Amino acid sequence: MSAGPLIFAMPGNAVAAGALAGMLGWERGELEVHAFPDGESLIRALPAAAGRDAVLVCTLDRPDAKLLPLLLAADTLRDAGARRVGLVAPYLAYLRQDRRFREGEGVTSRYFARLLSGHFDWLLTVDPHLHRHASLAAVYSIPASAVASAPAIADWIRRTVEVPLIIGPDGESSQWAAEVARLAGGPSVVLEKQRRGDRDVAVSVPDVARWMDSTPVLVDDIVSTARTMIATVHRLKAAGLRPPVCVGVHAVFAGDAERELRAAGVQALATTNTISHPSNAIDVMDLLAFELRRLLA
Ligand code: R5P
């Protein structure tokens, strides 16, 4: 019988890799990224993965600096004779540029997918930002699976929030908001958003008079500049609703975003642990482990 899968953590991913390996009873490998003085990287992965499935764990917020070492690590494992080399990226970046919005721009979601597809045999992530791409298969040429965080978020809401009103800040969030509302057993509303620039967002709120006794729970997939959530918090408060609870799947939090969001007057802030952040209150590692076991069965 061949040995089971080996799980390796890219730098910064030891907690997630350890949790997955522990839940699955799989062996943890050690992966070292040595930075030479000239800025190049050398990867060393032990034990050698010859004939075994190798799983690299690397969440892909701030992706540009992570990408080259990740691709080099995948090639190192393949060279060592790994049977298959897979990627667990709890947060998968580069999905928002899903079309050419202005003349001369690149469709980077496709280019990024092409790079990863050229180095890995399969990919697993959590709630990828799919808007104009209907599925990961529309951009990734390798088997690419996604785990939904909605059950974990709904469970947290049921335990933490009384009389929740689930709110999606824009059409793109309706897929998460509706599912979370269904599982949490509350109503949901989806707002309209206009993004005029990286940090310039306007949100319009419909008539919410009948929900004055509810606790608004904003649910969005990515919190980056937090401008979407901040604009929504202001509009909900202006409409007379209580200070909202904000739930984000992926805690990207660029720059000062977390402080600015809290300063907007939120009742609570919770994120999942797809990206390690102090606001992580919702654990999705068991959902990932379940899917990972199924994938490599
Ligand atoms: C947009 O399409 C996404 O679903 C999020 O609403 C967006 O990425 C949030 O970005 P920010 O925090 O920068 O407003």
Side-chain angles (χ1 to χ4, degrees), residues 163-167 186-190 206-216 240-242:
V163 200
L165 164 66
I166 310 300
I167 297 182
S188 69
V189 189
V190 173
D207 182 10
V208 285
R210 71 190 140 130
W211 284 302
M212 289 300 160
D213 294 330
S214 303
T215 301
L241 286 176
R242 297 177 181 175

Coordinates of all heavy atoms in Angstrom, one line a residue, residues 163-167 186-190 206-216 240-242:
V163 N -32.5 37.6 16.2 CA -33.4 38.2 15.1 C -32.5 38.8 14.0 O -32.6 40.0 13.7 CB -34.4 39.2 15.6 CG1 -35.6 39.4 14.7 CG2 -34.9 38.9 17.0
P164 N -31.7 38.0 13.3 CA -30.9 38.6 12.3 C -31.6 38.9 11.0 O -32.5 38.2 10.6 CB -29.9 37.4 12.0 CG -30.6 36.2 12.4 CD -31.6 36.5 13.4
L165 N -31.2 40.0 10.4 CA -31.6 40.3 9.0 C -30.4 40.3 8.2 O -29.5 41.1 8.4 CB -32.3 41.7 8.9 CG -32.4 42.3 7.5 CD1 -33.4 41.5 6.7 CD2 -32.8 43.8 7.6
I166 N -30.3 39.3 7.3 CA -29.0 39.1 6.5 C -29.0 40.1 5.3 O -30.0 40.2 4.6 CB -28.9 37.7 5.9 CG1 -29.1 36.7 7.0 CG2 -27.5 37.5 5.3 CD1 -28.2 36.7 8.2
I167 N -27.9 40.8 5.2 CA -27.9 41.9 4.1 C -26.6 41.6 3.2 O -25.5 41.5 3.7 CB -27.8 43.3 4.8 CG1 -29.0 43.5 5.6 CG2 -27.5 44.4 3.7 CD1 -29.1 44.9 6.2
G186 N -33.3 33.3 8.6 CA -33.8 34.7 8.7 C -34.0 35.2 7.3 O -33.7 34.6 6.3
P187 N -34.6 36.4 7.2 CA -34.8 37.0 5.9 C -33.5 37.6 5.4 O -32.6 37.8 6.1 CB -35.8 38.2 6.2 CG -35.6 38.5 7.6 CD -35.1 37.2 8.3
S188 N -33.5 37.9 4.1 CA -32.3 38.6 3.5 C -32.7 39.7 2.6 O -33.8 39.7 2.0 CB -31.4 37.6 2.8 OG -32.0 37.1 1.6
V189 N -31.9 40.7 2.5 CA -32.1 41.8 1.5 C -30.8 42.0 0.8 O -29.7 41.9 1.4 CB -32.4 43.1 2.3 CG1 -32.8 44.2 1.4 CG2 -33.4 43.0 3.4
V190 N -30.9 42.3 -0.5 CA -29.6 42.6 -1.2 C -29.7 44.1 -1.7 O -30.7 44.5 -2.3 CB -29.5 41.6 -2.4 CG1 -28.3 42.1 -3.3 CG2 -29.3 40.2 -1.9
P206 N -33.0 49.7 0.2 CA -34.4 49.8 -0.1 C -35.2 50.1 1.2 O -34.5 50.3 2.3 CB -34.7 48.4 -0.6 CG -33.7 47.5 0.0 CD -32.5 48.4 0.2
D207 N -36.5 50.1 1.2 CA -37.3 50.4 2.4 C -37.1 49.3 3.4 O -37.4 48.1 3.1 CB -38.8 50.5 1.9 CG -39.6 50.9 3.1 OD1 -39.0 51.2 4.2 OD2 -40.9 50.8 3.0
V208 N -36.6 49.6 4.5 CA -36.3 48.6 5.5 C -37.1 48.8 6.8 O -36.8 48.2 7.9 CB -34.7 48.6 5.9 CG1 -33.9 47.9 4.8 CG2 -34.2 50.0 6.2
A209 N -38.2 49.6 6.7 CA -38.9 50.0 7.9 C -39.4 48.8 8.7 O -39.5 48.8 9.9 CB -40.1 50.9 7.4
R210 N -39.8 47.7 8.0 CA -40.4 46.6 8.7 C -39.3 45.8 9.5 O -39.7 44.8 10.2 CB -41.2 45.7 7.8 CG -40.3 44.9 6.8 CD -41.3 44.3 5.7 NE -40.7 44.4 4.4 CZ -40.6 43.3 3.6 NH1 -41.1 42.2 4.0 NH2 -40.0 43.5 2.4
W211 N -38.0 46.1 9.3 CA -37.0 45.3 10.0 C -36.3 46.1 11.1 O -35.2 45.8 11.5 CB -36.0 44.8 9.0 CG -36.5 43.7 8.2 CD1 -36.9 42.5 8.7 CD2 -36.6 43.6 6.8 NE1 -37.3 41.7 7.6 CE2 -37.1 42.3 6.5 CE3 -36.3 44.5 5.7 CZ2 -37.4 41.9 5.1 CZ3 -36.5 44.1 4.4 CH2 -37.1 42.8 4.2
M212 N -37.0 47.1 11.7 CA -36.4 48.0 12.7 C -36.0 47.2 14.0 O -35.1 47.6 14.7 CB -37.3 49.1 13.1 CG -37.4 50.2 12.0 SD -35.8 50.9 11.6 CE -36.1 51.6 10.0
D213 N -36.7 46.0 14.2 CA -36.4 45.3 15.4 C -35.4 44.2 15.2 O -35.0 43.4 16.1 CB -37.7 44.6 16.0 CG -38.7 45.7 16.4 OD1 -38.2 46.8 16.9 OD2 -39.9 45.5 16.3
S214 N -34.9 44.1 13.9 CA -33.9 43.1 13.6 C -32.5 43.6 13.8 O -32.2 44.8 13.9 CB -34.0 42.6 12.2 OG -35.3 42.2 11.9
T215 N -31.5 42.7 13.9 CA -30.1 43.1 13.9 C -29.6 42.8 12.5 O -29.5 41.7 12.0 CB -29.3 42.2 14.8 OG1 -29.8 42.3 16.1 CG2 -27.8 42.6 14.8
P216 N -29.2 43.9 11.8 CA -28.7 43.7 10.4 C -27.3 43.0 10.5 O -26.4 43.3 11.3 CB -28.5 45.1 9.9 CG -28.8 46.1 11.0 CD -29.2 45.3 12.2
G240 N -32.1 54.1 10.0 CA -32.7 53.9 11.3 C -32.5 52.5 11.8 O -33.0 52.2 12.9
L241 N -31.7 51.7 11.1 CA -31.5 50.3 11.7 C -30.4 50.3 12.7 O -29.7 51.3 12.9 CB -31.1 49.4 10.5 CG -32.2 49.0 9.5 CD1 -31.5 48.1 8.4 CD2 -33.3 48.2 10.2
R242 N -30.4 49.3 13.5 CA -29.3 49.2 14.6 C -28.0 49.0 13.9 O -27.8 48.7 12.8 CB -29.6 47.9 15.4 CG -30.9 47.9 16.1 CD -31.1 46.5 16.7 NE -32.3 46.5 17.4 CZ -32.8 45.5 18.0 NH1 -32.2 44.3 18.1 NH2 -34.0 45.5 18.6

